[in-house]
Amino acid sequence: MSAKRYPPENFIGRELSWLEFNQRVIDEAVTPANPVFERMKFLAIAGSNLDEFFMIRVASIWDQIDAGYTGTDAAGMSPQEQIAAITARVRVMMRTMYDVLRKQILPELAETGVRLIDKDHLTGVQAAYLDAYFEANIYPVLTPMAVDATRPFPLIYNRSLNLGLLLESEDDDAPTFATVQVPSGLDRLIRLPSGDDIVFIPLEEAITRDIHKLFADLSIDEDDAVDLLLEIEKQLKQRRWGSAVRLEIDHRADPRLVKVLEDALELEAGDAYPINGPINLDFLTKQIYSLPGFEACKYPPYRPRLLALEDGETLFDRIRHTDVMLYHPYDSFDPIVHFIRLAAHDKQVLAIKQTLYRVSGDSPIVQALMEAADAGKQVTVLLELKARFDEENNIHWGRRLERVGAHVIYGMPKLKTHSKIALVVRKEEDGIRRYLHLGTGNYNDVTAKIYTDHGFLTTDPTLCDDASAFFNMLTGLSHPPKLKKLIFAPNHLRKELLQRIDREAENARAGRKAEILAKMNSLVDEEVIEHLYDASRAGVTIHLMVRGICCLRPGIRDVSENIQVRSIVGRYLEHSRIFCFYADGRREAYLSSADWMPRNLDRRVELMFPIEKPALRDRLYDLMALQWSDNQKSCELTESGTYERRAPADGEAAVNSHRKEVPVSCPLCTATIPLPLCCSPARFRQTAKSWCIRCAQRNSTSCAYWPPARARRSAS
């Protein structure tokens, strides 16, 4: 990378930008328009996000401090300054989270008939039930650990929930520290007998109530019992020293107990976070959200569009006839599963080659690959073992694939294989034909229901040639191939992206229209940001949809005043990567597995591929326009680094891009038209025949997005 050409104040710190993304998740937990169970889910997601953030990102910063690193990040902040800023921001964030939980979500849950109580609010029947439950299910699992001259401070496991106590004895002046780990193998919430309502008590409350049974030989000052009981959740650094980076602690804890823990865990000032509520909110989704009978408290169910085939037509027939582009979850993921299953059982299929990064625990795609290998087809799978938090699951599937005869390659040295590609080789009457799937998201049938991603199916000979060469590079020892349409990292993607950005800048300087539309999860790479700044200064209009981290600072005079950045956080996790360049009127569009981050461009095997068919390319432009017009779930990044929620201007219709449809009016009969998500209101209104179905049928024609019935059946 060349020397930095823009000062630090033109960049936003990566970690602080991520925290602002998590705040947008919390904001969804506050939004009254969201059903209460969904708001509860957003709150749990925000808590889980913070756990991972501390385990990975904050731990990495502490590694820098421990190693004596004194450099700064893109925004000019030293590691110590980053930690201080993170600590201050997270303290405010966690107070907000628990205020929302106590003051809004739990009271609203109670109105629906779901209540969370503590040990001081049990009825007689509930107390008797809890006593019996404790003796039968909890007590046998508990292991109290006291600390004295012969017993060292116990190991506190990462993300474990514990009770800490100070035990006072008449024989000792100083209290004894002890801890009891809350068993992770038991349900966090215990359902109590309650009549019509559903009443839960947290597991730690049940243990606290009978804690005296574990330390019967020591006297506890009952007057201070509430202050002496401590719940802690550890976010331990994932490194060989196992140093703690965060301690979540009940806000009522005795200061003496807090001091014992801070000293024992070698915590820095500010690393202990007092919590006013139940620590670790995973139980909200694991036990409450999944309760049956509360559909009215959740988003209405969404049925994705299905890829309809003509009578007797197979998926291979359709792909051979025309390219197919799917937009999940609005388009069903079933065709992708069916693509692999069809290949597994089709006698004409000779080979299947596929990359897998994250798959579901009961993956139908892996099952189909196993069936293909068992049937004697050549099955080659590059299974990435370095997919964080999915390592164990991927090892399990890799071994099963190997047992049925599949060739399994466990990633590449020093690189994560993050590309999403599947190639099917089939022997047909006119020779060998290859069928190719490329995607922006994982081959995961579970996350495909909640992540927005694009999938592309084609028999384009050039793309298929590139795919074959790409797999040969992954599985063999060949040099990186020179591809014609596929662009891959780490060899070419950075260079190709920068060339396209710079080309728009050259066109703008020449007085021609220049535009960049890009959608991604994160924008971090400094070199890419600097080229975007150059393009903005040249006059290129740049619209960026960045869901999460964005280190680019928009709106700076004479630097980024032509750049706007928006983020959508809502029902679905925005995950697809779409890159559009005006290209002097050619309007190029690409899909990719890669964000604009150093790890994606330099340390991962990624793919970017063009969408060349005008109809499919236009659908991507339509989607970008629709999401840019979102004024319900969209926030805009300001020059200061904060985000402002967008709202409809006077007379402007409300647009929520996560809804199934956006209403517009038919110009002939003024009826409301349910506009499909794949097109933007602007393009729909500009189409010459933008009529409702009734008017289109009456005029024996169709509009661009509502073709006649037979055409709809065969449309891709």
Side-chain angles (χ1 to χ4, degrees), residues 135-417:
E135 292 294 336
N137 299 285
I138 303 175
Y139 183 80
V141 188
L142 299 178
T143 304
M145 304 285 289
V147 177
D148 58 22
T150 62
R151 288 171 290 206
F153 192 89
L155 175 65
I156 304 295
Y157 290 99
N158 181 39
R159 297 199 75 227
S160 65
L161 185 64
N162 301 264
L163 298 177
L165 305 93
L166 292 177
L167 306 174
E168 296 184 345
S169 172
E170 295 178 356
D171 300 330
D172 296 322
D173 294 334
T176 299
F177 172 78
T179 183
V180 180
Q181 182 176 333
V182 177
S184 58
L186 299 179
D187 286 341
R188 176 72 184 281
L189 299 181
I190 302 168
R191 187 166 177 175
L192 300 172
S194 56
D196 294 335
D197 282 355
I198 296 175
V199 176
F200 292 108
I201 187 169
L203 179 58
E204 61 270 23
E205 285 283 327
I207 299 173
T208 299
R209 184 170 176 271
D210 287 321
I211 197 76
H212 60 279
K213 297 178 181 178
L214 300 176
F215 301 97
D217 58 336
L218 290 171
S219 62
I220 301 176
D221 186 348
E222 295 294 337
D223 293 336
D224 293 331
V226 171
D227 290 333
L228 295 178
L229 293 171
L230 169 72
E231 302 165 47
I232 54 177
E233 181 190 52
K234 306 296 181 304
Q235 314 308 326
L236 296 185
K237 232 179 232 188
Q238 291 187 333
R239 60 178 188 177
R240 63 180 180 270
W241 298 286
S243 300
V245 295
R246 181 168 64 136
L247 168 73
E248 290 188 359
I249 185 168
D250 191 288
H251 73 292
R252 300 165 296 180
D254 189 303
R256 295 173 296 168
L257 191 52
V258 177
K259 183 68 166 61
V260 168
L261 289 164
E262 288 178 334
D263 291 345
L265 297 172
E266 299 180 350
L267 291 169
E268 299 289 336
D271 289 343
Y273 292 78
I275 301 297
N276 186 1
I279 292 172
N280 188 344
L281 301 178
D282 286 354
F283 66 87
L284 293 174
T285 52
K286 289 181 178 178
Q287 285 186 259
I288 297 181
Y289 187 87
S290 58
L291 287 171
F294 289 88
E295 283 68 26
C297 300
K298 303 176 183 179
Y299 289 130
Y302 179 77
R303 294 183 178 179
R305 292 188 293 259
L306 299 175
L307 180 65
L309 301 174
E310 295 286 359
D311 293 340
E313 184 185 28
T314 71
L315 184 57
F316 286 153
D317 295 333
R318 172 62 62 82
I319 303 169
R320 187 167 58 248
H321 174 69
T322 181
D323 292 344
V324 175
M325 186 172 69
L326 301 172
Y327 182 38
H328 315 299
Y330 307 99
D331 290 314
S332 173
F333 191 72
D334 288 351
I336 310 307
V337 176
H338 180 58
F339 177 64
I340 304 301
R341 280 180 175 160
L342 182 62
H345 298 285
D346 189 309
K347 294 181 179 179
Q348 294 175 264
V349 169
L350 304 177
I352 306 172
K353 302 181 181 184
Q354 187 166 5
T355 60
L356 295 176
Y357 190 73
R358 299 188 196 275
V359 295
S360 61
D362 189 21
S363 172
I365 284 183
V366 178
Q367 186 63 43
L369 291 170
M370 291 167 57
E371 292 168 5
D374 195 46
K377 301 183 189 303
Q378 186 184 84
V379 175
T380 304
V381 178
L382 194 146
L383 187 63
E384 181 52 70
L385 289 186
K386 297 185 291 289
R388 184 176 291 150
F389 305 123
D390 279 275
E391 298 91 341
E392 185 176 352
N393 189 49
N394 286 2
I395 290 172
H396 161 75
W397 283 122
R399 288 173 176 167
R400 292 190 62 183
L401 282 162
E402 285 180 326
R403 282 198 293 268
V404 295
H407 301 292
V408 181
I409 299 162
Y410 294 101
M412 299 184 68
K414 300 181 181 180
L415 296 172
K416 279 188 180 181
T417 302

Side-chain angles (χ1 to χ4, degrees), residues 537-553:
R537 295 176 68 185
V540 181
T541 300
I542 303 173
H543 288 172
L544 304 175
M545 300 292 304
V546 186
R547 184 199 76 216
I549 304 169
C550 182
C551 296
L552 178 149
R553 194 181 294 275

